[in-house]
Amino acid sequence: MTGFLLAISFVGLLNLLPLRKALIIDYKLTYPSGTATAVLINGFHTPQGDNGAEKQVREFLKFFGISFLWSFFQWFYTGGESCGFLQFPTFGLKAWKQTFYFDFSLTYVGAGMICSHHVNLSTLFGAILSWGIMWPLISKQKGNWYPGDVPESSMTSLLGYKAFLCVALIVGDGLYHFIKVTCIIAKSLHERSNHRHVKKGTNEGTLEIDDMQRDEFFNKDYVPNRLVYAGYTILSLIAIVSIPLMFRQVKWYYVVVAYVLAPVLGFSNAYGTGLTDMNMSYNYGKIALFIFAAWGGRDNGVIAGLVGCGIVKQLVQVSADLMHDFKTAHLTSTSPRSMLVGQAIGTAMGCIISPLTFLLFYRAFDIGNPEGYWKAPYALIFRNMAILGVEGLSALPKYCLELSAGLFAFSVLINLMRDFLPSKYRDYMPLPMAMAVPFLVGANFAIDMCVGSLVVFVWHNINRKDAALLVPAVASGFICGDGIWTFPSSLLSLGKVKPPICMKFTPGS
């Protein structure tokens, strides 16, 4: 795993390096997340910013401690299957069986505080649609639509509907935005081309002094293009040789195709991200997944599709993320070369730490169990996409194609309505991508997220100024505290130390 990550991760850093001036300075793309980060950093370097930062750090540490201790406390009551606060039947046992309960996960509460109300309510709508309506109705067709003698965790059973209907929503949403962003890019490039021909040279005298200084500093600190091209070629050759040795199902020419397309796809994604702040790397990866899965055939297609997806997604995502960082560097007058070195160091660390973290979790917890806490839903989603690419429609359970087509059309229709309805109605349209997550994860995830939204809503009504300053810090404390607890928890699990109590809820006699 480490070898695979090392083979594919660094090329993305070099992918668009020669075009950084065009994307950041010439096209003046906004890269909203990078710009927001720069504004935040620049804001810290003021007297008011110092006071605000100190207050944020204090609140972060306080809620980090609360979250960590709460997770530690919960651990004592998880000494068995379906035990503990994570399985608390908040709305009753019938609702609990359909995953409608609050599981006291401060990670998801914190995530809900950071995400917009629109995202969180969309997840709740998806949970109601799936776990409240669709899955109970499909379950009644057991023995008719799907075999009654197979477990629900089988892909030929209810799980097949959950997985493929979730995929339909995600693919519909992703394909729509892929086409939309592609059209935006084409239109923007066309307009810029016309503008350059008509008004060439008219903007040079209107630049602000600060902008000129930023541009000069950004251009001065560069990496020679010949080194970039040489590095890209060498790293590509290493990947072309090494990846087929790691995965025999992947032919060397699959890797060649991926690396030849990477600069084109990377530029398209980086440009679209700069315009819309939407990183479409996963959608490029999904398209690559279907192509390589079909190309690999029945025997090799699943592995080839997943590996090809990983290569394309990583190449495209890293280059777009680097442009975000370059935008931040440009606005804060930070050395782009230092930013690149920092990215390279972080990438190298990630290539080592990520596999070790995965192995720790994989050995300590029941990763990938659809009925467990660590469901790893996207692993299941991408695997089923690969199966669909290899086997075609024969992989779908009965009537699953019709239901998937309906949700695919629904996803596209919702996006069209969001783009073309009057602005006062757009916020009432759910987000299909957010809706899709609870289809596999469960309704408890959506409830946790909505609790986070409720906290933010109440806080804003009590003290809007404090909420605007401290919500990100408190949410980060919740997420980090709960997340850090997983490390000692996994060590306890590896050491065969079991919680002493099982708190479980059953119907009364």
Side-chain angles (χ1 to χ4, degrees):
M1 191 183 300
T2 298
F4 177 67
L5 291 176
L6 289 170
I8 67 173
S9 295
F10 288 94
V11 180
L13 297 176
L14 305 177
N15 198 5
L16 298 181
L17 208 54
L19 299 175
R20 66 184 178 91
K21 177 179 178 294
L23 292 167
I24 303 298
I25 296 177
D26 296 342
Y27 289 157
K28 298 187 183 301
L29 297 176
T30 56
Y31 288 98
S33 293
T35 299
T37 303
V39 170
L40 182 65
I41 292 172
N42 289 333
F44 284 155
H45 297 282
T46 64
Q48 296 84 359
D50 289 341
N51 294 333
E54 182 180 349
K55 195 172 183 180
Q56 285 178 323
V57 170
R58 188 166 57 248
E59 293 300 306
F60 169 80
L61 292 175
K62 180 170 72 175
F63 284 94
F64 172 90
I66 291 172
S67 178
F68 183 86
L69 292 174
W70 172 244
S71 299
F72 177 48
F73 174 75
Q74 287 188 83
W75 175 81
F76 285 95
Y77 298 90
T78 57
E81 188 176 352
S82 300
C83 296
F85 288 91
L86 293 175
Q87 301 291 333
F88 192 89
T90 319
F91 309 111
L93 288 172
K94 285 188 176 180
W96 173 80
K97 289 180 180 178
Q98 297 299 330
T99 71
F100 281 94
Y101 57 91
F102 177 57
D103 64 7
F104 296 91
S105 171
L106 294 185
T107 292
Y108 291 139
V109 172
M113 293 174 68
I114 294 173
C115 292
S116 69
H117 299 321
H118 196 188
V119 170
N120 297 333
L121 291 175
S122 295
T123 62
L124 183 61
F125 178 68
I128 294 171
L129 178 64
S130 56
W131 292 91
I133 300 173
M134 295 178 66
W135 305 158
L137 291 176
I138 293 175
S139 296
K140 292 180 179 179
Q141 302 300 324
K142 186 174 184 178
N144 183 16
W145 286 14
Y146 60 92
D149 56 351
V150 296
E152 289 191 356
S153 58
S154 170
M155 288 305 299
T156 60
S157 183
L158 183 60
L159 183 61
Y161 293 94
K162 294 178 182 179
F164 286 112
L165 296 185
C166 177
V167 167
L169 269 179
I170 291 174
V171 171
D173 188 65
L175 182 61
Y176 177 86
H177 283 99
F178 177 80
I179 295 172
K180 175 184 173 181
V181 171
T182 302
C183 293
I184 291 173
I185 291 170
K187 180 181 177 183
S188 177
L189 290 173
H190 178 69
E191 290 175 350
R192 289 180 186 276
S193 177
N194 291 339
H195 183 75
R196 189 161 50 244
H197 287 303
V198 175
K199 299 184 179 180
K200 186 176 181 180
T202 59
N203 292 329
E204 293 182 3
T206 63
L207 286 173
E208 297 286 344
I209 297 298
D210 287 346
D211 291 336
M212 294 177 65
Q213 290 175 342
R214 290 192 189 104
D215 292 352
E216 182 181 0
F217 185 81
F218 190 78
N219 288 326
K220 180 176 65 176
D221 198 23
Y222 72 99
V223 178
N225 285 343
R226 64 179 182 276
L227 292 181
V228 176
Y229 299 142
Y232 190 90
T233 302
I234 292 171
L235 291 174
S236 299
L237 290 173
I238 292 173
I240 291 168
V241 173
S242 61
I243 291 177
L245 295 177
M246 300 177 200
F247 305 96
R248 61 174 182 79
Q249 297 89 347
V250 179
K251 308 301 180 184
W252 64 270
Y253 43 86
Y254 295 178
V255 186
V256 171
V257 170
Y259 276 77
V260 168
L261 292 176
V264 179
L265 299 178
F267 177 81
S268 175
N269 185 52
Y271 192 95
T273 304
L275 288 174
T276 65
D277 207 32
M278 295 173 59
N279 194 326
M280 306 295 291
S281 57
Y282 279 92
N283 293 303
Y284 287 101
K286 290 168 193 170
I287 294 170
L289 186 151
F290 284 117
I291 293 172
F292 286 115
W295 196 359
R298 185 171 293 273
D299 294 332
N300 301 322
V302 173
I303 300 298
L306 291 172
V307 173
C309 169
I311 294 172
V312 171
K313 189 274 297 179
Q314 190 73 357
L315 293 175
V316 172
Q317 183 178 30
V318 170
S319 57
D321 288 343
L322 183 62
M323 290 303 126
H324 268 293
D325 291 342
F326 277 156
K327 183 66 177 181
T328 302
H330 177 252
L331 294 176
T332 57
S333 297
T334 303
S335 165
R337 190 181 299 174
S338 299
M339 190 71 76
L340 178 63
V341 171
Q343 279 274 18
I345 294 172
T347 300
M349 293 174 63
C351 291
I352 297 171
I353 294 173
S354 294
L356 293 176
T357 304
F358 170 77
L359 289 175
L360 178 65
F361 274 66
Y362 191 75
R363 292 178 179 177
F365 305 113
D366 188 15
I367 303 294
N369 180 4
E371 305 299 327
Y373 180 71
W374 305 94
K375 295 180 176 67
Y378 279 100
L380 185 64
I381 289 170
F382 277 84
R383 179 178 178 273
N384 283 290
M385 285 182 180
I387 292 172
L388 188 61
V390 172
E391 299 184 6
L393 302 180
S394 62
L396 300 175
K398 191 176 182 181
Y399 297 121
C400 191
L401 174 62
E402 291 82 354
L403 293 171
S404 298
L407 282 180
F408 180 92
F410 171 80
S411 180
V412 174
L413 178 62
I414 287 294
N415 279 299
L416 286 170
M417 294 172 70
R418 282 179 52 80
D419 284 339
F420 293 103
L421 281 177
S423 57
K424 62 181 179 180
Y425 298 117
R426 291 176 188 173
D427 289 341
Y428 294 100
M429 297 296 107
L431 301 171
M433 190 71 73
M435 283 178 56
V437 177
F439 274 51
L440 274 176
V441 175
N444 56 308
F445 162 80
I447 291 171
D448 293 345
M449 298 282 282
C450 287
V451 168
S453 263
L454 180 61
V455 171
V456 173
F457 177 78
V458 173
W459 197 349
H460 269 277
N461 279 279
I462 295 173
N463 191 328
R464 182 175 295 273
K465 184 178 179 181
D466 270 3
L469 177 67
L470 298 178
V471 160
V474 172
S476 300
F478 279 154
I479 294 170
C480 293
D482 195 22
I484 290 296
W485 165 249
T486 59
F487 181 68
S489 173
S490 60
L491 293 181
L492 290 171
S493 178
L494 290 173
K496 308 299 182 184
V497 179
K498 295 184 178 181
I501 304 169
C502 174
M503 183 175 71
K504 200 168 186 177
F505 298 88
T506 58
S509 55

